[in-house]
Amino acid sequence: MPIGYEEVVRTVVFDVIDTDDDGLVYRLEVLKSSNGFRGQLFRLDSFSLECSFSDNKPDESFYVLDTHSHSVDLDEKVFDDPQSCIDFVANALQENFS
């Protein structure tokens, strides 16, 4: 049985969105599949790590799949082209944070 896959065809990092607490940074990956194009939205998040070989706890930032309350619903969305996906997410973020 062949292994299925989706290809990342575009990656977009949106400008920082200012909030009351902090600034949010989102990254969108546009994936190409046999059905068309879809998006996965990630949010930049910081974590304090406890290293086993050091006494300090460095803060590191990672993109995590965005599943919290500001998430843009992309689960069932399929787009005809990458730009349509980018425009949809940009407009949804604009509405969420206006």
Side-chain angles (χ1 to χ4, degrees):
M1 176 163 98
I3 296 175
Y5 66 92
E6 293 177 305
E7 178 183 2
V8 177
V9 294
R10 294 279 297 270
T11 302
V12 177
V13 177
F14 293 99
D15 292 339
V16 175
I17 299 171
D18 292 323
T19 63
D20 293 338
D21 299 328
D22 204 359
L24 296 173
V25 177
Y26 286 95
R27 183 182 80 198
L28 173 66
E29 291 182 354
V30 181
L31 306 166
K32 181 180 180 183
S33 68
S34 58
N35 299 357
F37 297 90
R38 67 178 195 88
Q40 281 190 308
L41 190 62
F42 296 84
R43 181 186 72 258
L44 188 63
D45 211 340
S46 294
F47 299 89
S48 291
L49 304 176
E50 186 171 340
C51 297
S52 60
F53 56 86
S54 175
D55 292 334
N56 64 348
K57 292 184 178 182
D59 289 338
E60 296 291 335
S61 295
F62 302 96
Y63 280 103
V64 295
L65 195 57
D66 184 54
T67 56
H68 73 34
S69 62
H70 296 127
S71 181
V72 176
D73 184 17
L74 292 170
D75 291 339
E76 303 298 321
K77 300 275 190 229
V78 177
F79 301 92
D80 293 331
D81 57 77
Q83 191 61 48
S84 298
C85 180
I86 294 166
D87 293 344
F88 175 83
V89 172
N91 290 333
L93 289 173
Q94 180 74 31
E95 286 180 21
N96 283 346
F97 293 102
S98 292

